[in-house]
Amino acid sequence: MPSHRHFARLDCGGFGGIPLERIPLELHMQRSQREIEVDPDAVFFPARLKVHLQGMKHAAHEADAGAGVFLKNCMTVGDLQLYGSLEVISHKALGTLSERKTRCDGADNARMGEDMWLQKCLQTLGGVGLDATGILRDRYCPVGGSKDCDFGAAAFHTYKALAQWDGCRAAAMAPAVPAPASPVLAPSTGVMLKH
């Protein structure tokens, strides 16, 4: 199935849906389709996300109780673990959202961002969140760990200035260079060796 851009508005209550200035992307993958939404100030590598998702396919299948799955990309102690800079949900979860009727309506909808609303609604509907902290390095995520742009993560956030965005992209694309081996003395001869 060919890839294409897909703009979907979700009626989320007080904030009127997902803003159109965000860049939703739909990636079609064999037997494992997900809806992906990426903020425009995130540096995103779709091929890396595909690798992460392929590694999670079995866990997602096992965890899905029928309402779909979503990826938790920042394992905070509080309520929000689905950070909006990179939202990944299964097509089944998107279908569950579209059939929710009023089950996610609440007085506090206007006080939360769409990422928190999406996570809470999916959980209310029976969606299961999977730990996927390796897919995103977001400076807003308060959990420790590197926020540097280097190889591994599928997205890096937030890079609002073009020079910052370009710098992050370049750094994340650079191959990891192993540390040079330090010479050591051979125990019996005193000759310098490299390892």
Side-chain angles (χ1 to χ4, degrees), residues 45-119:
F45 296 93
R48 291 184 190 176
L49 180 60
K50 185 176 181 178
V51 170
H52 283 282
L53 291 176
Q54 286 172 340
M56 299 180 74
K57 191 182 333 185
H58 180 72
H61 178 72
E62 291 293 317
D64 187 358
V69 297
F70 63 95
L71 300 187
K72 295 179 176 182
N73 53 29
C74 177
M75 297 305 289
T76 60
V77 175
D79 290 332
L80 180 62
Q81 287 125 12
L82 172 62
Y83 272 54
S85 52
L86 176 63
E87 296 169 341
V88 182
I89 68 172
S90 67
H91 283 291
K92 191 183 289 184
L94 187 63
T96 300
L97 278 170
S98 70
E99 297 170 1
R100 74 182 184 279
K101 299 185 176 142
T102 60
R103 293 184 1 205
C104 295
D105 293 353
D108 61 344
N109 284 3
R111 291 191 304 264
M112 60 179 107
E114 53 85 14
D115 48 2
M116 183 173 283
W117 180 89
L118 180 61
Q119 178 180 325

Side-chain angles (χ1 to χ4, degrees), residues 8-193:
R9 288 187 65 83
L10 300 176
D11 182 13
C12 301
F15 40 85
I18 296 175
L20 289 179
E21 67 267 16
R22 299 177 71 120
I23 303 174
L25 298 174
E26 185 175 314
L27 298 182
H28 294 280
M29 291 176 266
Q30 274 186 332
R31 296 183 177 163
S32 179
Q33 295 183 2
R34 305 282 181 256
E35 294 291 329
I36 291 95
E37 183 273 332
V38 182
D39 278 358
D41 60 345
V43 178
F44 178 55
F45 296 93
R48 291 184 190 176
L49 180 60
K50 185 176 181 178
V51 170
H52 283 282
L53 291 176
Q54 286 172 340
M56 299 180 74
K57 191 182 333 185
H58 180 72
H61 178 72
E62 291 293 317
D64 187 358
V69 297
F70 63 95
L71 300 187
K72 295 179 176 182
N73 53 29
C74 177
M75 297 305 289
T76 60
V77 175
D79 290 332
L80 180 62
Q81 287 125 12
L82 172 62
Y83 272 54
S85 52
L86 176 63
E87 296 169 341
V88 182
I89 68 172
S90 67
H91 283 291
K92 191 183 289 184
L94 187 63
T96 300
L97 278 170
S98 70
E99 297 170 1
R100 74 182 184 279
K101 299 185 176 142
T102 60
R103 293 184 1 205
C104 295
D105 293 353
D108 61 344
N109 284 3
R111 291 191 304 264
M112 60 179 107
E114 53 85 14
D115 48 2
M116 183 173 283
W117 180 89
L118 180 61
Q119 178 180 325
K120 285 183 176 248
C121 184
L122 285 169
Q123 289 170 328
T124 298
L125 299 172
V128 176
L130 299 176
D131 182 352
T133 53
I135 68 168
L136 175 66
R137 293 196 182 159
D138 192 318
R139 294 183 196 180
Y140 294 137
C141 177
V143 176
S146 175
K147 307 292 189 229
D148 294 340
C149 296
D150 55 22
F151 192 79
F156 304 87
H157 186 252
T158 175
Y159 295 94
K160 296 184 184 299
L162 183 58
Q164 292 175 330
W165 194 96
D166 285 339
C168 177
R169 183 176 182 276
M173 290 179 59
V177 179
S182 56
V184 294
L185 293 175
S188 60
T189 65
V191 175
M192 295 292 270
L193 302 173

